[in-house]
Amino acid sequence: MMGVDVSMSASPTDAVERVFDRVLEDVAREIDDDRRAVMSRRELAAEVDRVFLDLMRQERAAIPLMQQREIVLRLVSVLEGGPRRNAGRVSADATPHPAATIQREPAGVGEDRSAALEETAARTATRRRIDAARTVVAPVLLDRIDIASIGHHDRDEIARQIAALVDEIVAELKVQVNGQEQDGLVRVLVDDMTGLGPLESLLADDTVTDIMVNGPSRIYVERGGKLYATNAAFRDHPHVLNVATRIVTRVGRRVDESSPLVDARLEDGSRVKVIMPPLAIDGVAISIRKFARHKLTLDQMVEQANMSADLATVLKIAARARLNILISGGTESGKTTLLNALSQMIDPGERIVTIEDAAELKLQQPHVVRLEIRPANLEGLGEITMRDLLKNALRMRPDRIILGEVRGAEAIDVLQAMNTGHDGSLSTLHANTPRETLTRLENMTSMAGFALSPSAIRAQIADAIDLVVQVSRMRDGKRRVT
């Protein structure tokens, strides 16, 4: 952020003017028009407030608190395209503030932005008309279609049948929609019946890596390591719960008040976390880590500057040479992605057993056994833990064991497996540094309930782990091996 001269020697009005201009330029640079168009006023105000306070702290600007709040409100109004307001007084007919243009633009740029805003408004209006038509058409459609038979047809066939029925219903009920809106209505109905509703378009977008649902109307995505608000929305809270239930039931799990925390996966391997009330205060929360359709290799990671070429060579040799490797890092730092890349170095003739909470590893070797834990049923019975699976996996003659994530008492079993002939095992663990990784592994081993001395635990870790690879997500959103 560039410096701003708002010293005490300057007049208060000049200080306010300069702060106003600087913050407006910074916010406009950080949040483009398309993103601002889908942000709520509260989200925009929070972003403006953050930039404003950062500038105040950096420059030690002396502006009274009440005037600070007034500046923030005026900035939000200008960025929303509301009445122009100058720094001296608030007035709808006041002369536009010089910074109201947000930035100095070459000829034609302003017209392009206006066109983009008009296009966004048109899309919003179209979506509202589709939603209104859906409330009329959907009940009639459900009476005329055999829901039980839907699962026996592919999506294209279902879409053709629904399109024909919608055409009839729209004509009968005289629903006012044009051809484009009717096509959109069919897509919405098909997504509701066979897919995940408004999430379908986001799942189909290859630039989206994460989808976060914080309630019916607050859906965010991650692109290139940065979070963005979307204009996708569910109809209401029951609609979100219906989609969440559809996700978890496909993998034999349930989400309700007795089981409000659920790990699941989509058919393509994308990882899903669902949290519902009363734990989630504002309604059902869904987090989806999308499964990459094109699996990254270590060479591609070098091209993307995730690691150096020399380091990639070292990791290739380590995986080929059957070293026991532990990948550590924070949340969304790229641990599973790197694990998948390392697994490509495993010889096709080896027998591999993978053990995960929710199966998301996609190994390309022909001899792979994939195991997944099972939660308890309604009576609290039938739970199969990671420790249970790991103990049984040792009797399945594996050449390598790949554990999706070490997070508890199963650490002792992992170490024992690595120390009893299962070289080349791979796993991930949440930790911020390699030293913290070893400390966490030691603590989790002690959770198993065995009366082992600290020196004995450390000796096991030292004998078992050959290499710790630390990955981190940088401020620019890039994941790197650090």
Side-chain angles (χ1 to χ4, degrees), residues 442-472:
E442 182 181 346
N443 293 338
M444 287 188 287
T445 302
S446 64
M447 292 167 56
F450 295 103
L452 296 175
S453 65
S455 59
I457 294 175
R458 291 168 187 167
Q460 281 219 31
I461 293 173
D463 291 338
I465 305 297
D466 296 311
L467 180 64
V468 176
V469 183
Q470 185 71 32
V471 293
S472 301

Side-chain angles (χ1 to χ4, degrees), residues 414-435:
V414 173
L415 295 177
Q416 289 177 348
M418 291 178 174
N419 281 324
T420 54
H422 298 91
D423 296 332
S425 296
L426 304 172
S427 186
T428 70
L429 185 147
H430 274 81
N432 294 322
T433 65
R435 184 178 297 275

Side-chain angles (χ1 to χ4, degrees), residues 45-277:
E47 192 67 20
V48 170
D49 197 47
R50 179 188 64 78
V51 175
F52 178 75
L53 291 177
D54 285 347
L55 182 62
M56 292 284 292
R57 281 193 295 268
Q58 180 180 340
E59 304 297 338
R60 297 189 178 93
I63 299 175
L65 182 61
M66 292 299 293
Q67 205 163 10
Q68 292 179 27
R69 299 301 92 200
E70 183 183 343
I71 292 173
V72 170
L73 290 174
R74 290 204 306 272
L75 285 164
V76 172
S77 179
V78 170
L79 289 164
E80 283 187 323
R84 305 299 188 188
R85 306 167 183 218
N86 61 21
R89 58 189 178 89
V90 180
S91 172
D93 59 353
T95 303
H97 188 277
T101 55
I102 298 180
Q103 59 183 11
R104 309 301 184 262
E105 299 173 332
V109 173
E111 288 81 351
D112 291 342
R113 289 188 168 185
S114 297
L117 288 173
E118 289 176 5
E119 183 181 349
T120 301
R123 285 199 302 267
T124 302
T126 299
R127 191 182 71 197
R128 287 175 178 167
R129 286 195 293 271
I130 290 174
D131 288 343
R134 183 200 168 283
T135 59
V136 176
V137 172
V140 181
L141 177 66
L142 291 175
D143 286 339
R144 300 187 184 184
I145 197 167
D146 182 8
I147 298 295
S149 67
I150 285 182
H152 303 296
H153 300 282
D154 61 27
R155 185 181 173 89
D156 291 338
E157 176 61 26
I158 294 170
R160 282 193 292 271
Q161 293 183 19
I162 290 179
L165 287 171
V166 167
D167 199 33
E168 295 176 7
I169 296 168
V170 165
E172 289 175 15
L173 302 181
K174 296 182 172 57
V175 179
Q176 299 299 316
V177 290
N178 58 35
Q180 180 184 1
E181 291 165 357
Q182 185 165 325
D183 291 341
L185 175 60
V186 171
R187 282 196 300 274
V188 168
L189 292 168
V190 172
D191 288 344
D192 277 350
M193 291 182 179
T194 66
L196 304 181
L199 303 183
E200 283 292 330
S201 60
L202 303 178
L203 290 168
D205 188 345
D206 289 337
T207 66
V208 172
T209 55
D210 283 84
I211 303 171
M212 290 139 281
V213 179
N214 300 343
S217 59
R218 292 185 297 152
I219 302 177
Y220 296 83
V221 297
E222 179 185 288
R223 288 189 177 94
K226 300 292 183 66
L227 293 180
Y228 299 95
T230 72
N231 57 5
F234 292 88
R235 293 189 301 277
D236 47 32
H237 288 286
H239 189 196
V240 185
L241 180 58
N242 181 45
V243 168
T245 303
R246 186 177 300 168
I247 292 172
V248 301
T249 52
R250 286 176 179 173
V251 292
R253 302 189 180 183
R254 70 181 196 281
V255 58
D256 49 40
E257 288 191 4
S258 64
S259 180
L261 295 169
V262 184
D263 288 300
R265 68 179 187 278
L266 302 182
E267 292 178 355
D268 65 355
S270 297
R271 185 172 64 202
V272 183
K273 182 72 176 185
V274 177
I275 306 179
M276 69 165 291

